[in-house]
Amino acid sequence: MLPFARVAIIGLGLIGSSIARAVRQEMPTVRLSGHDADPAVRARATAIDLLHDIADTPGAAVLDADLVILCVPVGAMASVAEQIAADLPADAIVSDVGSSKAGIAAALAAALPGQTVVPAHPVAGTENSGPDAGFATLFHGRWCILTPAGDADPAAVMRVSTFWEKLGADIEIMDARHHDLVLAVTSHLPHLIAYTIVGTASDLEEVTQGEVIKYSAGGFRDFTRIAASDPTMWRDVFLSNKEAVLEMLQRFSEDLTALQRAIRWGDGDALFDLFTRTRAIRRSIIEQGQDDARTDFGRSHD
Ligand code: NAP
């Protein structure tokens, strides 16, 4: 028994198009409709037959949906919710995939009074954007965190849970504020650090751009993958998860200062102890199936 029969996806980029592909593969009888603000994206989605119906407005896309998933940048969630409000069937469940949750939950509740809302965040992605970047297996073995309000209908939460399980995800249910704190350290801060390192390297005057690229295998290139992530998406994530990110950034700055001191005073034991602890974390990530166990992410060294 499928949890939904008619799914509408608003925003047909990496995440929206991955959901569409996965639904077609795992729940082929589900009718898919959708919309994207960008006419070029709508044209591309039509060309690759991403959905059964691609509408010119968000309202038209949701008219007979029983699940609506907002897959737009975090900063656009509120306005999309307002645009679909008048056309939403009363019994449709609204969800989203935003990378921060407390702000979106508040915005959706304000824009859609009386509607059942079950916010979600699939912790899966790549540095690429757009409808061609998506793939059906993106969510396999990845966590999808649901952050329903305390008084949310348990049956609705169960249906959204089943939907994501069918796409291959494992489900975790969390308070929205706790989600934002956890993701600030596991995702948002690492992106901020990568953006900083890549920015710093490109600003250095005594090292040429050519040298930065030529010797990037020394570690730099692994940061560039993250720092190539979508600028709109990440601008919105930092603006919406401001408090949690600033809190984690404060702790990070203190730890960085301690490392600076250890290097200045030649405290090799402090450095060695930290690097030993961090190596163990990498091993745990691999043991839990959250990354490729192959050396250097499986890059070919032929
Ligand atoms: P994406 O590839 O850039 O796709 C977003 C799409 O939404 C774009 O085609 C964009 O059009 C469209 N859009 C923007 N504003 C819109 C509006 N008001 N109405 C309709 N469509 C609109 O981004 P994504 O990576 O799929 O991210 C989508 C959401 O997933 C974000 O909330 C993000 O936080 C979340 N998320 C991302 C990842 C990841 O790794 N990428 C992982 C988990 C969750 P334009 O081209 O005109 O901007």
Side-chain angles (χ1 to χ4, degrees):
M1 172 79 176
L2 295 176
F4 298 100
R6 296 171 308 280
V7 175
I9 302 171
I10 311 296
L12 303 174
L14 169 70
I15 302 294
S17 75
S18 293
I19 294 174
R21 288 178 171 96
V23 168
R24 278 202 182 247
Q25 198 166 295
E26 306 301 333
M27 295 176 262
T29 56
V30 168
R31 183 94 194 154
L32 282 168
S33 61
H35 167 78
D36 193 286
D38 186 343
V41 171
R42 295 203 297 273
R44 183 64 192 148
T46 305
I48 61 176
D49 195 24
L50 192 63
L51 310 167
H52 302 103
D53 305 299
I54 296 179
D56 286 339
T57 64
V62 305
L63 275 175
D64 65 350
D66 54 6
L67 172 67
V68 176
I69 314 178
L70 310 185
C71 303
V72 298
V74 170
M77 294 284 180
S79 91
V80 172
E82 283 160 14
Q83 289 174 63
I84 60 173
D87 296 305
L88 268 177
D91 57 355
I93 295 174
V94 175
S95 188
D96 74 291
V97 295
S99 305
S100 64
K101 298 269 52 107
I104 295 177
L108 296 189
L112 305 169
Q115 198 81 34
T116 305
V117 177
V118 182
H121 176 204
V123 187
T126 73
E127 65 277 27
N128 299 321
S129 311
D132 288 302
F135 51 99
T137 55
L138 178 63
F139 311 110
H140 281 194
R142 299 284 164 253
W143 289 102
C144 182
I145 304 174
L146 307 187
T147 62
D151 59 355
D153 172 15
V157 177
M158 183 56 76
R159 286 172 73 193
V160 175
S161 222
T162 306
F163 175 82
W164 279 102
E165 277 169 356
K166 288 199 174 290
L167 302 194
D170 297 321
I171 308 300
E172 189 81 48
I173 298 197
M174 223 182 254
D175 168 72
R177 292 211 168 274
H178 187 66
H179 165 280
D180 288 356
L181 203 61
V182 172
L183 271 289
V185 71
T186 58
S187 170
H188 308 168
L189 192 58
H191 275 80
L192 199 68
I193 294 167
Y195 282 126
T196 313
I197 291 179
V198 176
T200 303
S202 75
D203 287 345
L204 284 178
E205 278 159 14
E206 59 273 37
V207 179
T208 65
Q209 284 268 348
E211 284 174 309
V212 168
I213 291 164
K214 184 171 171 186
Y215 302 117
S216 63
F220 181 72
R221 69 178 180 192
D222 290 342
F223 285 98
T224 61
R225 184 192 71 75
I226 298 178
S229 300
D230 189 70
T232 306
M233 169 185 160
W234 284 97
R235 176 202 62 197
D236 288 3
V237 168
F238 291 117
L239 295 181
S240 71
N241 199 19
K242 187 171 162 177
E243 279 173 34
V245 169
L246 289 178
E247 188 180 327
M248 290 303 160
L249 200 53
Q250 176 64 31
R251 294 175 73 132
F252 175 75
S253 308
E254 288 165 14
D255 291 346
L256 199 59
T257 305
L259 270 187
Q260 207 175 352
R261 196 179 305 118
I263 294 169
R264 189 183 307 286
W265 295 106
D267 186 353
D269 289 348
L271 298 177
F272 189 84
D273 287 351
L274 174 66
F275 302 164
T276 306
R277 270 200 291 135
T278 55
R279 197 173 219 197
I281 288 180
R282 170 81 193 151
R283 290 202 185 113
S284 311
I285 289 170
I286 291 166
E287 274 161 27
Q288 290 188 25
Q290 293 299 309
D291 203 1
D292 195 322
R294 288 172 299 162
T295 306
D296 200 14
F297 305 105
R299 286 185 179 111
S300 161
H301 291 281
D302 297 340

